[in-house]
Amino acid sequence: LLFASDRGGGFGKLDLWYSKIDSIGNYTEPKNLGKNINSIDDECCPFYDSKTQTLFFSSEWFDNLGNTDIFSVQGNIEDLKYPQNIGFPLNSCNYDIYYNISSNRDFAYFSSNRTLDKTASTAGCCNDIFQISLPKEKTDSVSEKKIETKLKQKSVELIPISLYFHNDE
């Protein structure tokens, strides 16, 4: 269970915390995700993609484009390194929060108060939900077994290697 809280023992305002859930539904004592993730400012809206072992969250503190940006960090939830801003065009100078990936992995969704009116000088009043297409995973047209067989063939053809050196060069 991942959540944001301003409970004591944190590093700033809202911090990200986790609690393990056992097989019968009991929660362990919440643990702070640590100083690599939490700052003196607000972190919120955690989403952990278990397939890629990537935590996505929003922060006002780290290198960002303004207000709240979405960040990612890959790894085990108990040992996360320094997060990276997932960048423009997903992040903007507005409040970009609640990143999530669809179950079929075709789309990602997030919420933002950005305005779609290019002439507006300020952000919109309310959050809207945005959808972006995710790149498709590339599948090899050649199976691993075929590649392995081809590599073995090539190595047999090349070994032993006859080398010739010109003595004057």
Side-chain angles (χ1 to χ4, degrees):
L1 171 69
L2 290 165
F3 63 96
S5 175
D6 63 353
R7 61 179 46 221
F11 293 90
K13 297 176 183 176
L14 284 177
D15 275 8
L16 297 183
W17 298 77
Y18 74 97
S19 178
K20 293 182 180 180
I21 306 170
D22 68 19
S23 60
I24 57 173
N26 296 319
Y27 296 86
T28 63
E29 186 68 28
K31 292 184 182 177
N32 189 289
L33 283 179
K35 64 182 177 181
N36 287 345
I37 303 302
N38 293 304
S39 71
I40 61 172
D41 222 328
D42 285 331
E43 281 72 43
C44 68
C45 316
F47 166 71
Y48 189 74
D49 181 9
S50 56
K51 181 174 181 180
T52 62
Q53 291 192 324
T54 305
L55 172 68
F56 295 92
F57 66 97
S58 294
S59 176
E60 293 180 341
W61 181 255
F62 298 101
D63 297 331
N64 68 37
L65 304 177
N67 292 313
T68 302
D69 277 2
I70 300 168
F71 293 82
S72 70
V73 58
Q74 199 167 16
N76 181 309
I77 200 73
E78 297 182 55
D79 185 35
L80 296 168
K81 304 301 180 214
Y82 194 78
Q84 300 295 313
N85 187 310
I86 60 177
F88 180 83
L90 194 133
N91 283 321
S92 68
C93 62
N94 298 297
Y95 288 94
D96 305 310
I97 53 179
Y98 292 112
Y99 184 87
N100 201 320
I101 297 173
S102 66
S103 58
N104 63 7
R105 309 192 73 75
D106 287 341
F107 302 100
Y109 301 93
F110 67 98
S111 193
S112 179
N113 69 335
R114 67 184 70 184
T115 180
L116 297 177
D117 180 2
K118 303 291 185 204
T119 62
S121 60
T122 60
C125 72
C126 308
N127 287 337
D128 290 314
I129 298 172
F130 293 83
Q131 172 185 300
I132 59 168
S133 295
L134 294 176
K136 298 284 185 200
E137 289 184 22
K138 294 181 179 177
T139 56
D140 290 331
S141 59
V142 180
S143 72
E144 286 184 36
K145 191 67 176 167
K146 285 183 181 178
I147 293 171
E148 184 180 336
T149 304
K150 196 74 162 166
L151 288 173
K152 284 181 182 175
Q153 272 181 329
K154 277 291 188 193
S155 64
V156 168
E157 291 172 13
L158 294 173
I159 299 172
I161 298 174
S162 299
L163 296 176
Y164 172 77
F165 293 98
H166 190 278
N167 289 337
D168 294 338
E169 294 179 18

